[in-house]
Amino acid sequence: VQKNEILCELTSKLGIRFELDINGNFQDYNHQFMHLLKYTQKDLKAMVIYDLIDAMDLESFNKHWETIVSGNNYSGLLRIKSSHGEEKWINGSFAAVFNMSHEINRIVFAGFDVTHEKTLEKDSITQSDTIRKQEKMLKDAEKEQAIRIREIKNELLSSIKETERLLAIDNRIIDDAPEA
């Protein structure tokens, strides 16, 4: 028990921690959680975990929640919305806490804010996509240039052949009419 209390205290000081009942209602949370999401205690008491989960992730989260409330731990990323609508990312684990009757008493989450890392990852992906598009544009431009160079080369060769033909005609005329 003392070890668990020490771990909870460390997590509370270093990371994000909150506790839920089996319906997802907030029972307890630390300062870092409130600070990250900028919700008041009153707001959080009126909310359930589903209110925070990004709409695009709700279906997936529901599947994980079923696993959690059946007594299994779950670790992963959560994309949540702050009170100002900002996207926040938390990496952590859910674990069920059982009472003496071996029924789930509450669900504890402990994790860390990884919003900055996810933002950097998104920026990196965006930059990579931009670079790929630019590389494709350069390759397309190179192909167009190569085609245009071939066309110009063929036009020049045609002009040279035509000039040589006209020169040959001129030479024959001059050769045939020396008095001219």
Side-chain angles (χ1 to χ4, degrees), residues 19-164:
E19 295 179 17
L20 308 164
D21 65 15
I22 60 169
N23 297 317
N25 296 303
F26 287 95
Q27 301 298 302
D28 191 26
Y29 31 81
N30 66 354
H31 175 73
Q32 285 80 349
F33 182 66
M34 289 178 56
H35 180 72
L36 176 68
L37 299 181
K38 297 176 181 40
Y39 281 109
T40 65
Q41 286 185 353
K42 183 180 177 184
D43 292 337
L44 286 173
K45 288 290 183 189
M47 299 174 87
V48 293
I49 187 69
Y50 300 104
D51 296 331
L52 298 180
I53 303 296
D54 190 272
M56 295 189 305
D57 299 336
L58 266 176
E59 186 177 332
S60 169
F61 181 76
N62 282 334
K63 291 177 186 172
H64 297 306
W65 185 254
E66 292 302 317
T67 303
I68 296 164
V69 294
S70 66
N72 297 310
N73 294 344
Y74 167 75
S75 295
L77 275 173
L78 289 179
R79 178 173 31 178
I80 54 180
K81 296 287 182 184
S82 74
S83 65
H84 302 306
E86 300 166 317
E87 184 177 85
K88 300 291 182 178
W89 290 87
I90 302 174
N91 191 12
S93 298
F94 286 93
V97 176
F98 297 91
N99 61 18
M100 294 293 203
S101 313
H102 201 64
E103 296 170 336
I104 296 177
N105 187 27
R106 64 185 186 271
I107 310 292
V108 176
F109 176 87
F112 295 93
D113 177 16
V114 292
T115 304
H116 181 70
E117 289 80 359
K118 287 298 284 183
T119 303
L120 290 175
E121 181 183 329
K122 281 182 180 181
D123 290 347
S124 176
I125 289 169
T126 302
Q127 288 173 351
S128 293
D129 288 345
T130 302
I131 289 170
R132 265 189 242 109
K133 287 176 186 174
Q134 289 174 341
E135 284 175 347
K136 186 183 178 329
M137 288 172 56
L138 280 172
K139 286 179 183 177
D140 291 346
E142 283 177 11
K143 286 178 185 177
E144 286 180 32
Q145 289 254 311
I147 290 170
R148 184 69 185 131
I149 287 171
R150 256 183 270 137
E151 289 172 354
I152 292 171
K153 182 179 175 182
N154 289 337
E155 287 174 15
L156 284 173
L157 288 174
S158 294
S159 293
I160 290 171
K161 285 181 183 176
E162 180 62 22
T163 304
E164 287 174 348

